[in-house]
Amino acid sequence: MPTLKDVAEKAGVTVTTVSRVINNRGYLSEETKYKVKQAMNELHYRPNELARSLSKQVTNTIGIITPHITHPYFAQLISQLENAASKRGFKILLCNSKEDHSREAEYIDLCKSNRAVGIIFCGMILASEQYTQQGIPFVAIECNSPLFASTILCDNYEGGRLAAEHLIACGCKNLVHFSGIIDQEMPGDSRSQAFKDVCQKHGVDFEIVWTRDNTYYSMDYRDSIRQTLLGLPNTDGIFASSDLIAAQVIQVCAEMGKQIPQHIKLVGFDDVALSSLTTPQISTIHQPTKEMAEMAVDSLIRSSSRETVPSKLVLPVSLVKRQSTGW
């Protein structure tokens, strides 16, 4: 098994220089870094991660706690987080809380015991403030809370405004919005407020349908959609707070003999892969998950190094026009 000394001899540098390259410490020329990494690859040398973590008190691991792993939005976000972490030389420890605060607490302890540099929370709120006092930095994506070192958000209000304005520009007069979870305040609720503001501004009829907990957890919105359309038969425009909901709107409308976009125009939110796989393809609000993931990873790494990071970062969204609104 090759040693640090073997790498140093093959690269023509000192053992100290090899150690500095591995741990990314101090200034080193790109030529030196290349020679050391080339020698490591040729010798199939792998640093002893356990020894490194014991010396640094942390590993090159980032904890990620998410409420879902099968929801298209969270699946896409997790993939982007893994990509962003990998680019910075970090691995992820993925934890699925399933919206269970006891699981959340266990996973925080797990990340700490595995010497993670910090934890990124996706679309959820800490059960208790006590965890923020344990010396490990927390960063949140789409969760507006003062408990985190930094919070990364998309411009939810602008997304709701763009969706409503687009539906009205398409001629819709009776709009429905399938919104967030009832009695659970989240940044995404701004989409509903914007939708309401735009509808009132233009004097069009509208209805906001809030989601119940069991519907959100099951990710099956079809019964809610069906009952809403039966109760509001004049609906000609729908803004769904996720592409997952929008895809189920297409299913229900097909069952009820309502054609999209001929009878009902439809706009989703997130711009996950699902939005371009349905028939018709879904017009949606693009949420910049790649950039949000990169900012979250960067903020966490900087925070773990005791650097000052912005407490809140809001990224712009955009409207993607597809077949569900007649484009």
mmCIF file of all heavy atoms in Angstrom, residues 211-255:
data_model
loop_
_atom_site.group_PDB
_atom_site.id
_atom_site.type_symbol
_atom_site.label_atom_id
_atom_site.label_comp_id
_atom_site.label_asym_id
_atom_site.label_seq_id
_atom_site.Cartn_x
_atom_site.Cartn_y
_atom_site.Cartn_z
ATOM 1 N N THR A 211 -53.493 23.018 1.223
ATOM 2 C CA THR A 211 -53.262 21.575 1.299
ATOM 3 C C THR A 211 -53.307 21.088 2.739
ATOM 4 O O THR A 211 -52.757 21.739 3.634
ATOM 5 C CB THR A 211 -51.882 21.229 0.696
ATOM 6 O OG1 THR A 211 -51.842 21.658 -0.666
ATOM 7 C CG2 THR A 211 -51.601 19.736 0.779
ATOM 8 N N ARG A 212 -53.940 19.948 2.959
ATOM 9 C CA ARG A 212 -53.950 19.338 4.293
ATOM 10 C C ARG A 212 -52.705 18.476 4.471
ATOM 11 O O ARG A 212 -52.128 17.991 3.498
ATOM 12 C CB ARG A 212 -55.212 18.498 4.489
ATOM 13 C CG ARG A 212 -56.489 19.334 4.448
ATOM 14 C CD ARG A 212 -57.693 18.559 4.926
ATOM 15 N NE ARG A 212 -58.887 19.413 4.924
ATOM 16 C CZ ARG A 212 -59.179 20.268 5.890
ATOM 17 N NH1 ARG A 212 -58.378 20.395 6.934
ATOM 18 N NH2 ARG A 212 -60.267 21.014 5.823
ATOM 19 N N ASP A 213 -52.307 18.279 5.735
ATOM 20 C CA ASP A 213 -51.078 17.542 6.035
ATOM 21 C C ASP A 213 -51.025 16.178 5.354
ATOM 22 O O ASP A 213 -50.009 15.816 4.748
ATOM 23 C CB ASP A 213 -50.934 17.344 7.557
ATOM 24 C CG ASP A 213 -50.577 18.640 8.271
ATOM 25 O OD1 ASP A 213 -50.288 19.628 7.573
ATOM 26 O OD2 ASP A 213 -50.572 18.652 9.513
ATOM 27 N N ASN A 214 -52.110 15.410 5.477
ATOM 28 C CA ASN A 214 -52.081 14.048 4.937
ATOM 29 C C ASN A 214 -51.929 14.034 3.419
ATOM 30 O O ASN A 214 -51.307 13.131 2.850
ATOM 31 C CB ASN A 214 -53.330 13.269 5.366
ATOM 32 C CG ASN A 214 -54.621 13.925 4.904
ATOM 33 O OD1 ASN A 214 -54.641 15.125 4.619
ATOM 34 N ND2 ASN A 214 -55.695 13.163 4.825
ATOM 35 N N THR A 215 -52.478 15.047 2.758
ATOM 36 C CA THR A 215 -52.324 15.145 1.304
ATOM 37 C C THR A 215 -50.873 15.441 0.943
ATOM 38 O O THR A 215 -50.306 14.842 0.022
ATOM 39 C CB THR A 215 -53.230 16.252 0.731
ATOM 40 O OG1 THR A 215 -54.589 15.956 1.065
ATOM 41 C CG2 THR A 215 -53.090 16.350 -0.780
ATOM 42 N N TYR A 216 -50.256 16.352 1.692
ATOM 43 C CA TYR A 216 -48.860 16.716 1.432
ATOM 44 C C TYR A 216 -47.940 15.514 1.645
ATOM 45 O O TYR A 216 -47.051 15.249 0.843
ATOM 46 C CB TYR A 216 -48.448 17.870 2.342
ATOM 47 C CG TYR A 216 -46.983 18.223 2.247
ATOM 48 C CD1 TYR A 216 -46.469 18.889 1.134
ATOM 49 C CD2 TYR A 216 -46.102 17.878 3.282
ATOM 50 C CE1 TYR A 216 -45.129 19.204 1.054
ATOM 51 C CE2 TYR A 216 -44.762 18.192 3.207
ATOM 52 C CZ TYR A 216 -44.277 18.861 2.096
ATOM 53 O OH TYR A 216 -42.947 19.161 2.012
ATOM 54 N N TYR A 217 -48.155 14.783 2.729
ATOM 55 C CA TYR A 217 -47.287 13.643 3.032
ATOM 56 C C TYR A 217 -47.436 12.525 2.012
ATOM 57 O O TYR A 217 -46.466 11.876 1.636
ATOM 58 C CB TYR A 217 -47.587 13.103 4.433
ATOM 59 C CG TYR A 217 -47.357 14.118 5.532
ATOM 60 C CD1 TYR A 217 -48.175 14.161 6.656
ATOM 61 C CD2 TYR A 217 -46.319 15.042 5.441
ATOM 62 C CE1 TYR A 217 -47.974 15.104 7.659
ATOM 63 C CE2 TYR A 217 -46.110 15.988 6.421
ATOM 64 C CZ TYR A 217 -46.944 16.015 7.534
ATOM 65 O OH TYR A 217 -46.744 16.950 8.513
ATOM 66 N N SER A 218 -48.683 12.292 1.553
ATOM 67 C CA SER A 218 -48.922 11.220 0.578
ATOM 68 C C SER A 218 -48.538 11.637 -0.838
ATOM 69 O O SER A 218 -48.332 10.796 -1.707
ATOM 70 C CB SER A 218 -50.393 10.805 0.598
ATOM 71 O OG SER A 218 -51.210 11.845 0.057
ATOM 72 N N MET A 219 -48.480 12.941 -1.085
ATOM 73 C CA MET A 219 -48.176 13.524 -2.397
ATOM 74 C C MET A 219 -49.250 13.171 -3.428
ATOM 75 O O MET A 219 -49.007 13.186 -4.632
ATOM 76 C CB MET A 219 -46.787 13.109 -2.889
ATOM 77 C CG MET A 219 -45.657 13.641 -2.042
ATOM 78 S SD MET A 219 -44.016 13.318 -2.748
ATOM 79 C CE MET A 219 -43.903 11.544 -2.508
ATOM 80 N N ASP A 220 -50.448 12.835 -2.952
ATOM 81 C CA ASP A 220 -51.560 12.513 -3.854
ATOM 82 C C ASP A 220 -52.638 13.591 -3.703
ATOM 83 O O ASP A 220 -53.400 13.601 -2.737
ATOM 84 C CB ASP A 220 -52.136 11.139 -3.517
ATOM 85 C CG ASP A 220 -53.173 10.673 -4.545
ATOM 86 O OD1 ASP A 220 -53.608 11.507 -5.374
ATOM 87 O OD2 ASP A 220 -53.548 9.490 -4.522
ATOM 88 N N TYR A 221 -52.698 14.497 -4.676
ATOM 89 C CA TYR A 221 -53.589 15.654 -4.617
ATOM 90 C C TYR A 221 -54.853 15.455 -5.456
ATOM 91 O O TYR A 221 -55.678 16.348 -5.546
ATOM 92 C CB TYR A 221 -52.857 16.903 -5.123
ATOM 93 C CG TYR A 221 -51.704 17.337 -4.263
ATOM 94 C CD1 TYR A 221 -50.460 16.712 -4.346
ATOM 95 C CD2 TYR A 221 -51.839 18.394 -3.369
ATOM 96 C CE1 TYR A 221 -49.391 17.112 -3.555
ATOM 97 C CE2 TYR A 221 -50.776 18.806 -2.577
ATOM 98 C CZ TYR A 221 -49.557 18.156 -2.678
ATOM 99 O OH TYR A 221 -48.523 18.559 -1.882
ATOM 100 N N ARG A 222 -55.004 14.300 -6.070
ATOM 101 C CA ARG A 222 -56.056 14.127 -7.071
ATOM 102 C C ARG A 222 -57.471 14.297 -6.516
ATOM 103 O O ARG A 222 -58.324 14.910 -7.176
ATOM 104 C CB ARG A 222 -55.900 12.767 -7.757
ATOM 105 C CG ARG A 222 -54.716 12.732 -8.726
ATOM 106 C CD ARG A 222 -54.449 11.349 -9.233
ATOM 107 N NE ARG A 222 -53.994 10.461 -8.155
ATOM 108 C CZ ARG A 222 -53.607 9.203 -8.334
ATOM 109 N NH1 ARG A 222 -53.637 8.678 -9.552
ATOM 110 N NH2 ARG A 222 -53.206 8.463 -7.320
ATOM 111 N N ASP A 223 -57.712 13.795 -5.325
ATOM 112 C CA ASP A 223 -59.056 13.943 -4.766
ATOM 113 C C ASP A 223 -59.368 15.411 -4.493
ATOM 114 O O ASP A 223 -60.481 15.883 -4.779
ATOM 115 C CB ASP A 223 -59.192 13.130 -3.473
ATOM 116 C CG ASP A 223 -60.626 13.124 -2.952
ATOM 117 O OD1 ASP A 223 -61.519 12.707 -3.701
ATOM 118 O OD2 ASP A 223 -60.834 13.561 -1.804
ATOM 119 N N SER A 224 -58.378 16.139 -3.943
ATOM 120 C CA SER A 224 -58.562 17.572 -3.684
ATOM 121 C C SER A 224 -58.815 18.328 -4.985
ATOM 122 O O SER A 224 -59.686 19.207 -5.057
ATOM 123 C CB SER A 224 -57.332 18.136 -2.970
ATOM 124 O OG SER A 224 -57.417 19.540 -2.828
ATOM 125 N N ILE A 225 -58.069 17.992 -6.025
ATOM 126 C CA ILE A 225 -58.235 18.653 -7.322
ATOM 127 C C ILE A 225 -59.625 18.349 -7.896
ATOM 128 O O ILE A 225 -60.332 19.242 -8.377
ATOM 129 C CB ILE A 225 -57.140 18.182 -8.311
ATOM 130 C CG1 ILE A 225 -55.757 18.632 -7.829
ATOM 131 C CG2 ILE A 225 -57.417 18.721 -9.717
ATOM 132 C CD1 ILE A 225 -54.607 17.931 -8.523
ATOM 133 N N ARG A 226 -60.007 17.104 -7.816
ATOM 134 C CA ARG A 226 -61.302 16.674 -8.351
ATOM 135 C C ARG A 226 -62.462 17.402 -7.664
ATOM 136 O O ARG A 226 -63.371 17.929 -8.331
ATOM 137 C CB ARG A 226 -61.449 15.162 -8.186
ATOM 138 C CG ARG A 226 -62.639 14.545 -8.901
ATOM 139 C CD ARG A 226 -62.640 13.039 -8.742
ATOM 140 N NE ARG A 226 -61.469 12.428 -9.374
ATOM 141 C CZ ARG A 226 -60.448 11.888 -8.685
ATOM 142 N NH1 ARG A 226 -60.449 11.888 -7.363
ATOM 143 N NH2 ARG A 226 -59.427 11.354 -9.330
ATOM 144 N N GLN A 227 -62.430 17.435 -6.320
ATOM 145 C CA GLN A 227 -63.492 18.086 -5.562
ATOM 146 C C GLN A 227 -63.537 19.587 -5.844
ATOM 147 O O GLN A 227 -64.613 20.192 -5.930
ATOM 148 C CB GLN A 227 -63.303 17.837 -4.061
ATOM 149 C CG GLN A 227 -63.465 16.384 -3.641
ATOM 150 C CD GLN A 227 -64.812 15.801 -4.052
ATOM 151 O OE1 GLN A 227 -65.855 16.448 -3.896
ATOM 152 N NE2 GLN A 227 -64.800 14.588 -4.597
ATOM 153 N N THR A 228 -62.382 20.186 -6.022
ATOM 154 C CA THR A 228 -62.313 21.625 -6.312
ATOM 155 C C THR A 228 -62.943 21.933 -7.665
ATOM 156 O O THR A 228 -63.740 22.876 -7.805
ATOM 157 C CB THR A 228 -60.853 22.111 -6.289
ATOM 158 O OG1 THR A 228 -60.305 21.907 -4.983
ATOM 159 C CG2 THR A 228 -60.768 23.594 -6.647
ATOM 160 N N LEU A 229 -62.601 21.157 -8.680
ATOM 161 C CA LEU A 229 -63.133 21.407 -10.020
ATOM 162 C C LEU A 229 -64.623 21.102 -10.112
ATOM 163 O O LEU A 229 -65.348 21.745 -10.876
ATOM 164 C CB LEU A 229 -62.355 20.588 -11.052
ATOM 165 C CG LEU A 229 -60.886 21.003 -11.250
ATOM 166 C CD1 LEU A 229 -60.216 20.129 -12.300
ATOM 167 C CD2 LEU A 229 -60.773 22.469 -11.628
ATOM 168 N N LEU A 230 -65.091 20.128 -9.327
ATOM 169 C CA LEU A 230 -66.532 19.858 -9.294
ATOM 170 C C LEU A 230 -67.280 21.020 -8.645
ATOM 171 O O LEU A 230 -68.374 21.394 -9.068
ATOM 172 C CB LEU A 230 -66.807 18.566 -8.519
ATOM 173 C CG LEU A 230 -66.467 17.257 -9.235
ATOM 174 C CD1 LEU A 230 -66.604 16.076 -8.282
ATOM 175 C CD2 LEU A 230 -67.357 17.064 -10.468
ATOM 176 N N GLY A 231 -66.655 21.617 -7.606
ATOM 177 C CA GLY A 231 -67.290 22.735 -6.917
ATOM 178 C C GLY A 231 -67.151 24.056 -7.644
ATOM 179 O O GLY A 231 -67.944 24.985 -7.423
ATOM 180 N N LEU A 232 -66.130 24.150 -8.506
ATOM 181 C CA LEU A 232 -65.882 25.385 -9.265
ATOM 182 C C LEU A 232 -65.794 25.039 -10.762
ATOM 183 O O LEU A 232 -64.724 25.089 -11.373
ATOM 184 C CB LEU A 232 -64.578 26.047 -8.794
ATOM 185 C CG LEU A 232 -64.524 26.481 -7.323
ATOM 186 C CD1 LEU A 232 -63.098 26.848 -6.915
ATOM 187 C CD2 LEU A 232 -65.455 27.687 -7.097
ATOM 188 N N PRO A 233 -66.934 24.689 -11.374
ATOM 189 C CA PRO A 233 -66.931 24.211 -12.766
ATOM 190 C C PRO A 233 -66.509 25.243 -13.804
ATOM 191 O O PRO A 233 -66.171 24.886 -14.937
ATOM 192 C CB PRO A 233 -68.385 23.776 -12.990
ATOM 193 C CG PRO A 233 -69.182 24.581 -11.999
ATOM 194 C CD PRO A 233 -68.295 24.707 -10.794
ATOM 195 N N ASN A 234 -66.516 26.533 -13.434
ATOM 196 C CA ASN A 234 -66.132 27.581 -14.387
ATOM 197 C C ASN A 234 -64.631 27.872 -14.394
ATOM 198 O O ASN A 234 -64.170 28.768 -15.112
ATOM 199 C CB ASN A 234 -66.891 28.874 -14.079
ATOM 200 C CG ASN A 234 -68.383 28.734 -14.330
ATOM 201 O OD1 ASN A 234 -68.797 28.018 -15.240
ATOM 202 N ND2 ASN A 234 -69.197 29.406 -13.514
ATOM 203 N N THR A 235 -63.891 27.122 -13.611
ATOM 204 C CA THR A 235 -62.439 27.336 -13.550
ATOM 205 C C THR A 235 -61.821 27.228 -14.943
ATOM 206 O O THR A 235 -62.020 26.242 -15.658
ATOM 207 C CB THR A 235 -61.779 26.283 -12.631
ATOM 208 O OG1 THR A 235 -62.298 26.427 -11.304
ATOM 209 C CG2 THR A 235 -60.267 26.453 -12.605
ATOM 210 N N ASP A 236 -61.067 28.273 -15.317
ATOM 211 C CA ASP A 236 -60.397 28.241 -16.626
ATOM 212 C C ASP A 236 -58.893 28.472 -16.518
ATOM 213 O O ASP A 236 -58.194 28.528 -17.531
ATOM 214 C CB ASP A 236 -61.026 29.254 -17.589
ATOM 215 C CG ASP A 236 -60.993 30.682 -17.051
ATOM 216 O OD1 ASP A 236 -60.418 30.900 -15.960
ATOM 217 O OD2 ASP A 236 -61.558 31.577 -17.712
ATOM 218 N N GLY A 237 -58.386 28.610 -15.289
ATOM 219 C CA GLY A 237 -56.956 28.784 -15.089
ATOM 220 C C GLY A 237 -56.543 28.248 -13.733
ATOM 221 O O GLY A 237 -57.223 28.485 -12.731
ATOM 222 N N ILE A 238 -55.449 27.491 -13.681
ATOM 223 C CA ILE A 238 -54.958 26.907 -12.428
ATOM 224 C C ILE A 238 -53.474 27.205 -12.257
ATOM 225 O O ILE A 238 -52.673 27.003 -13.180
ATOM 226 C CB ILE A 238 -55.187 25.380 -12.391
ATOM 227 C CG1 ILE A 238 -56.685 25.056 -12.357
ATOM 228 C CG2 ILE A 238 -54.488 24.754 -11.183
ATOM 229 C CD1 ILE A 238 -56.990 23.559 -12.425
ATOM 230 N N PHE A 239 -53.131 27.674 -11.069
ATOM 231 C CA PHE A 239 -51.737 27.835 -10.675
ATOM 232 C C PHE A 239 -51.454 26.821 -9.570
ATOM 233 O O PHE A 239 -52.010 26.925 -8.481
ATOM 234 C CB PHE A 239 -51.468 29.263 -10.195
ATOM 235 C CG PHE A 239 -50.124 29.454 -9.534
ATOM 236 C CD1 PHE A 239 -48.989 28.792 -9.983
ATOM 237 C CD2 PHE A 239 -49.991 30.334 -8.462
ATOM 238 C CE1 PHE A 239 -47.751 28.978 -9.374
ATOM 239 C CE2 PHE A 239 -48.762 30.533 -7.836
ATOM 240 C CZ PHE A 239 -47.636 29.848 -8.295
ATOM 241 N N ALA A 240 -50.627 25.830 -9.857
ATOM 242 C CA ALA A 240 -50.268 24.798 -8.884
ATOM 243 C C ALA A 240 -48.938 25.158 -8.241
ATOM 244 O O ALA A 240 -48.009 25.594 -8.924
ATOM 245 C CB ALA A 240 -50.169 23.438 -9.567
ATOM 246 N N SER A 241 -48.841 24.963 -6.916
ATOM 247 C CA SER A 241 -47.631 25.374 -6.207
ATOM 248 C C SER A 241 -46.454 24.423 -6.407
ATOM 249 O O SER A 241 -45.381 24.628 -5.844
ATOM 250 C CB SER A 241 -47.914 25.533 -4.708
ATOM 251 O OG SER A 241 -48.422 24.332 -4.168
ATOM 252 N N SER A 242 -46.644 23.387 -7.195
ATOM 253 C CA SER A 242 -45.535 22.511 -7.582
ATOM 254 C C SER A 242 -45.881 21.834 -8.904
ATOM 255 O O SER A 242 -47.054 21.696 -9.268
ATOM 256 C CB SER A 242 -45.252 21.454 -6.507
ATOM 257 O OG SER A 242 -46.264 20.461 -6.500
ATOM 258 N N ASP A 243 -44.856 21.379 -9.610
ATOM 259 C CA ASP A 243 -45.094 20.648 -10.854
ATOM 260 C C ASP A 243 -45.738 19.290 -10.570
ATOM 261 O O ASP A 243 -46.454 18.745 -11.418
ATOM 262 C CB ASP A 243 -43.778 20.450 -11.613
ATOM 263 C CG ASP A 243 -43.199 21.761 -12.123
ATOM 264 O OD1 ASP A 243 -43.984 22.699 -12.369
ATOM 265 O OD2 ASP A 243 -41.967 21.851 -12.277
ATOM 266 N N LEU A 244 -45.477 18.737 -9.393
ATOM 267 C CA LEU A 244 -46.114 17.477 -9.006
ATOM 268 C C LEU A 244 -47.635 17.640 -8.976
ATOM 269 O O LEU A 244 -48.371 16.795 -9.494
ATOM 270 C CB LEU A 244 -45.612 17.033 -7.628
ATOM 271 C CG LEU A 244 -46.279 15.792 -7.035
ATOM 272 C CD1 LEU A 244 -45.905 14.558 -7.832
ATOM 273 C CD2 LEU A 244 -45.915 15.617 -5.566
ATOM 274 N N ILE A 245 -48.104 18.734 -8.366
ATOM 275 C CA ILE A 245 -49.542 19.001 -8.326
ATOM 276 C C ILE A 245 -50.059 19.258 -9.741
ATOM 277 O O ILE A 245 -51.116 18.768 -10.129
ATOM 278 C CB ILE A 245 -49.861 20.196 -7.418
ATOM 279 C CG1 ILE A 245 -49.401 19.915 -5.982
ATOM 280 C CG2 ILE A 245 -51.351 20.511 -7.438
ATOM 281 C CD1 ILE A 245 -49.544 21.106 -5.042
ATOM 282 N N ALA A 246 -49.308 20.026 -10.517
ATOM 283 C CA ALA A 246 -49.736 20.346 -11.889
ATOM 284 C C ALA A 246 -49.910 19.079 -12.727
ATOM 285 O O ALA A 246 -50.861 18.961 -13.509
ATOM 286 C CB ALA A 246 -48.720 21.276 -12.541
ATOM 287 N N ALA A 247 -49.000 18.108 -12.559
ATOM 288 C CA ALA A 247 -49.105 16.854 -13.311
ATOM 289 C C ALA A 247 -50.382 16.112 -12.937
ATOM 290 O O ALA A 247 -51.037 15.501 -13.793
ATOM 291 C CB ALA A 247 -47.885 15.975 -13.039
ATOM 292 N N GLN A 248 -50.766 16.184 -11.657
ATOM 293 C CA GLN A 248 -51.985 15.520 -11.219
ATOM 294 C C GLN A 248 -53.237 16.284 -11.678
ATOM 295 O O GLN A 248 -54.294 15.683 -11.888
ATOM 296 C CB GLN A 248 -51.960 15.348 -9.704
ATOM 297 C CG GLN A 248 -50.884 14.353 -9.270
ATOM 298 C CD GLN A 248 -50.810 14.167 -7.768
ATOM 299 O OE1 GLN A 248 -51.807 13.931 -7.108
ATOM 300 N NE2 GLN A 248 -49.593 14.277 -7.221
ATOM 301 N N VAL A 249 -53.114 17.595 -11.863
ATOM 302 C CA VAL A 249 -54.204 18.374 -12.457
ATOM 303 C C VAL A 249 -54.484 17.862 -13.869
ATOM 304 O O VAL A 249 -55.642 17.695 -14.269
ATOM 305 C CB VAL A 249 -53.861 19.880 -12.496
ATOM 306 C CG1 VAL A 249 -54.854 20.633 -13.377
ATOM 307 C CG2 VAL A 249 -53.859 20.465 -11.083
ATOM 308 N N ILE A 250 -53.433 17.587 -14.622
ATOM 309 C CA ILE A 250 -53.593 17.062 -15.981
ATOM 310 C C ILE A 250 -54.329 15.721 -15.949
ATOM 311 O O ILE A 250 -55.234 15.472 -16.754
ATOM 312 C CB ILE A 250 -52.215 16.910 -16.669
ATOM 313 C CG1 ILE A 250 -51.591 18.288 -16.915
ATOM 314 C CG2 ILE A 250 -52.340 16.150 -17.990
ATOM 315 C CD1 ILE A 250 -50.172 18.242 -17.453
ATOM 316 N N GLN A 251 -53.961 14.865 -14.994
ATOM 317 C CA GLN A 251 -54.627 13.557 -14.876
ATOM 318 C C GLN A 251 -56.118 13.710 -14.587
ATOM 319 O O GLN A 251 -56.959 13.087 -15.236
ATOM 320 C CB GLN A 251 -53.969 12.748 -13.754
ATOM 321 C CG GLN A 251 -52.585 12.225 -14.073
ATOM 322 C CD GLN A 251 -52.038 11.391 -12.925
ATOM 323 O OE1 GLN A 251 -52.105 11.774 -11.760
ATOM 324 N NE2 GLN A 251 -51.488 10.241 -13.253
ATOM 325 N N VAL A 252 -56.422 14.538 -13.590
ATOM 326 C CA VAL A 252 -57.814 14.709 -13.181
ATOM 327 C C VAL A 252 -58.636 15.347 -14.294
ATOM 328 O O VAL A 252 -59.782 14.941 -14.557
ATOM 329 C CB VAL A 252 -57.901 15.545 -11.881
ATOM 330 C CG1 VAL A 252 -59.352 15.881 -11.546
ATOM 331 C CG2 VAL A 252 -57.254 14.793 -10.722
ATOM 332 N N CYS A 253 -58.077 16.348 -14.945
ATOM 333 C CA CYS A 253 -58.803 16.998 -16.034
ATOM 334 C C CYS A 253 -59.105 16.013 -17.163
ATOM 335 O O CYS A 253 -60.191 16.047 -17.762
ATOM 336 C CB CYS A 253 -57.998 18.184 -16.569
ATOM 337 S SG CYS A 253 -58.060 19.640 -15.498
ATOM 338 N N ALA A 254 -58.168 15.123 -17.445
ATOM 339 C CA ALA A 254 -58.399 14.107 -18.479
ATOM 340 C C ALA A 254 -59.559 13.206 -18.077
ATOM 341 O O ALA A 254 -60.406 12.854 -18.914
ATOM 342 C CB ALA A 254 -57.132 13.287 -18.705
ATOM 343 N N GLU A 255 -59.609 12.832 -16.806
ATOM 344 C CA GLU A 255 -60.696 11.980 -16.305
ATOM 345 C C GLU A 255 -62.052 12.687 -16.422
ATOM 346 O O GLU A 255 -63.077 12.050 -16.696
ATOM 347 C CB GLU A 255 -60.459 11.625 -14.840
ATOM 348 C CG GLU A 255 -59.242 10.729 -14.590
ATOM 349 C CD GLU A 255 -58.924 10.620 -13.110
ATOM 350 O OE1 GLU A 255 -59.724 11.133 -12.294
ATOM 351 O OE2 GLU A 255 -57.882 10.031 -12.769
#
